[in-house]
Amino acid sequence: MSDGTLRFLAILTALLTRPKASLLVIEEVDNGLHPSRARLLLDMLRAVGTQRGVDVLVTTHNPALLDAMGTDMVPFITVANRDPSTGHSVLTLLEDIEQLPKLLAQGPIGRLSSQGLIEQSLATEQATSKEVEIEHE
């Protein structure tokens, strides 16, 4: 079996053996998985996780997986980026990005991410927020 198939089976096994009301965290969930299997992986995580009462937290950089999530998953997607002034990592819910409707009108989430549009929007919002903070001081 391929590495991707073995990883898929390992994730499924982990999900099936976790106790109810537990959390399964998977870093780079799609690592080694063929992009055409992204939807299958997401459907499996959602269905089995819901059926078994297991919360699933995954990380990815893969545009194909982000595209497969579709807009129905927007409330569950968090974007990590770096604050340029402090160097700290900042986590932002995708749905909290002010320009999200305009971004989504330009294409699916994976494409927006791979083109850097989400990060650009966050950088603009952070710069605007800092300007407001300075004005209030």
Side-chain angles (χ1 to χ4, degrees), residues 5-33:
T5 300
L6 292 172
R7 183 160 172 84
F8 185 92
L9 291 172
I11 291 169
L12 179 58
T13 300
L15 190 55
L16 289 170
T17 58
R18 296 293 312 150
K20 289 189 184 280
S22 64
L23 174 66
L24 176 62
V25 179
I26 310 163
E27 185 174 1
E28 299 296 337
V29 68
D30 53 325
N31 193 15
L33 194 66

Side-chain angles (χ1 to χ4, degrees), residues 17-18 46 51-52 57 60 62 96 111 114 130:
T17 58
R18 296 293 312 150
R46 186 179 303 142
Q51 176 188 13
R52 298 211 60 254
L57 174 67
T60 188
N62 186 330
D96 288 345
R111 186 179 324 147
S114 64
K130 296 226 185 275

Side-chain angles (χ1 to χ4, degrees), residues 28-86:
E28 299 296 337
V29 68
D30 53 325
N31 193 15
L33 194 66
H34 193 276
S36 67
R37 298 294 181 225
R39 169 59 59 195
L40 177 63
L41 176 66
L42 289 174
D43 290 346
M44 182 267 303
L45 289 171
R46 186 179 303 142
V48 177
T50 300
Q51 176 188 13
R52 298 211 60 254
V54 175
D55 290 327
V56 180
L57 174 67
V58 301
T59 65
T60 188
H61 293 96
N62 186 330
L65 187 67
L66 291 169
D67 285 347
M69 288 181 177
T71 56
D72 60 324
M73 292 294 292
V74 165
F76 306 102
I77 298 173
T78 300
V79 179
N81 70 313
R82 197 151 313 275
D83 183 324
S85 63
T86 65

